[in-house]
Amino acid sequence: MVASNFERPPFTEQLGNDERLARLRSSVRAMRRTLIPANFDAVKAVYREAAVNRPEDPWIPYNHGHFLLTVVGDLEEAERLLAQHLRFWPEDVVARKGFAGLLVRKGRFDKAIAMLEAVLRDYPHDTEALLVRGQAYVGKRDLDGARESFARAVALRPDSSRLRITIAGTWSAAGQSGEALSHYRGALEVDASCTDAYRGLASVSSQLGKPDEAYRYYEKALEVDPDDSATHSNLGNAYLRDDKRDKAVDHYRMALELDPNSILARANLAGALARQDKVREAIAEYEETVRRSPEFDAAHRSLGHLLYQLSLIHI
């Protein structure tokens, strides 16, 4: 039986109100906030237990599926759970858009576009639906369709730098540098202090073989926010690509001072140290990387390679 009269409750209410489910709800909130891979199985276990206790509650498969989609990246199981939720509540526009976004990630562009067209017939001013439809068009290489969708979204929310950043990132990932640069610059017209836009411009400039331009954009981002760990890490990447190892190491270290939990900054620091022939220091950083993120296969491989190198030194 399809239920069509649900109201979307806040997350704190979606696992029920009895004492046991309240504890489960609290556990999910705490573990979701950390976003530590080691907690993922525990979060999934909480959702499964909640589903056993409340099998008719459509919000449990929705939240479980959303977690798998946005945090874990388990697209197959997320699709099953979101489809289960939509069988309960096919009119749920938020879930329909989320499901369409999942289809885009799985390369099922035509089906995603069809779902979003249905949403837009009822809600023609839904910028998220226009955004995801544009991403689907980019995926199927219909660039005119993408431009039309993105232009409509921007016209509806001209003051949203975040929207421009998302569109720019989509174009950049598709190798459409000119479109990406245009939207990153558009984001800066809306918000001159948008560090994501400066980082995006730097990344595209680097891809275009313009390292000096990339450095300038990263430095501009650091003028706006000198304590941004991600900018220091990205600038380190740019310097390392240009074989400026000392500068790369300096910025990776600054990134880690600002955010000691940055796994990528630590792994990149280890790689830069290895390229400086500082093998023991590199090993120490890789060991810390895999201690904090045991599923990081590339770090394990690099650590093994360096340990082998070190063993040869001592033969």
Side-chain angles (χ1 to χ4, degrees):
M1 181 175 186
V2 173
S4 60
N5 60 345
F6 287 109
E7 293 183 1
R8 178 177 294 276
F11 177 76
T12 53
E13 298 174 5
Q14 288 172 17
L15 293 183
N17 296 316
D18 59 86
E19 182 180 352
R20 178 173 179 72
L21 287 175
R23 289 199 301 272
L24 293 174
R25 185 176 64 234
S26 177
S27 298
V28 168
R29 285 202 308 269
M31 288 185 287
R32 279 172 63 118
R33 278 197 300 271
T34 65
L35 299 185
I36 296 173
N39 285 337
F40 290 172
D41 287 341
V43 175
K44 288 185 279 188
V46 168
Y47 279 127
R48 285 194 294 269
E49 185 170 355
V52 169
N53 282 277
R54 296 176 67 90
E56 300 301 318
D57 187 335
W59 296 108
I60 294 170
Y62 173 81
N63 281 294
H64 191 181
H66 187 265
F67 171 74
L68 293 175
L69 174 63
T70 60
V71 179
V72 180
D74 184 346
L75 302 187
E76 296 300 326
E77 184 64 6
E79 180 177 0
R80 185 187 71 78
L81 289 162
L82 292 177
Q84 180 182 339
H85 169 78
L86 285 169
R87 284 194 294 274
F88 277 105
W89 189 8
E91 295 87 359
D92 184 351
V93 174
V94 174
R96 287 160 70 190
K97 290 184 293 187
F99 194 86
L102 182 152
L103 294 175
V104 171
R105 290 177 62 179
K106 295 185 72 174
R108 291 155 65 184
F109 304 120
D110 289 328
K111 184 173 181 180
I113 290 168
M115 287 190 71
L116 293 162
E117 292 286 1
V119 170
L120 288 165
R121 280 195 292 272
D122 294 329
Y123 304 95
H125 296 155
D126 190 315
T127 54
E128 185 182 6
L130 288 166
L131 172 64
V132 179
R133 187 181 70 168
Q135 292 171 330
Y137 276 128
V138 170
K140 66 179 293 186
R141 308 302 293 177
D142 182 346
L143 303 189
D144 288 337
R147 291 186 187 99
E148 185 270 337
S149 278
F150 291 150
R152 283 178 57 186
V154 170
L156 289 167
R157 295 185 60 191
D159 296 330
S160 173
S161 60
R162 178 51 47 194
L163 176 63
R164 290 291 195 109
I165 291 294
T166 303
I167 293 170
T170 300
W171 283 124
S172 179
Q176 299 294 318
S177 301
E179 299 279 2
L181 290 170
S182 174
H183 281 283
Y184 282 130
R185 289 169 181 147
L188 288 174
E189 290 174 8
V190 174
D191 179 6
S193 64
C194 182
T195 55
D196 284 341
Y198 286 118
R199 283 202 301 265
L201 286 167
S203 177
V204 174
S205 297
S206 183
Q207 292 168 14
L208 293 173
K210 300 178 179 179
D212 291 338
E213 197 170 294
Y215 300 148
R216 284 196 296 273
Y217 283 127
Y218 281 130
E219 294 293 352
K220 184 63 179 176
L222 289 173
E223 287 177 23
V224 174
D225 185 358
D227 295 330
D228 190 299
S229 173
T231 302
H232 281 291
S233 185
N234 290 346
L235 181 52
N237 294 342
Y239 279 130
L240 196 60
R241 279 194 295 270
D242 209 22
D243 209 32
K244 297 181 178 180
R245 304 173 193 180
D246 292 345
K247 287 187 175 182
V249 166
D250 288 343
H251 281 282
Y252 290 141
R253 291 196 190 282
M254 282 187 272
L256 286 171
E257 284 179 17
L258 294 164
D259 180 10
N261 294 319
S262 175
I263 298 299
L264 286 178
R266 192 173 299 280
N268 288 333
L269 171 61
L273 290 168
R275 288 175 63 170
Q276 289 181 318
D277 294 324
K278 297 179 179 178
V279 176
R280 292 184 184 279
E281 289 183 54
I283 286 173
E285 294 297 344
Y286 275 130
E287 286 178 336
E288 182 63 14
T289 299
V290 298
R291 185 187 71 79
R292 290 170 178 261
S293 184
E295 77 292 346
F296 196 159
D297 292 338
H300 280 285
R301 289 194 297 271
S302 296
L303 175 59
H305 176 70
L306 288 178
L307 288 169
Y308 175 70
Q309 282 187 313
L310 192 63
S311 71
L312 294 179
I313 293 172
H314 294 283
I315 289 176

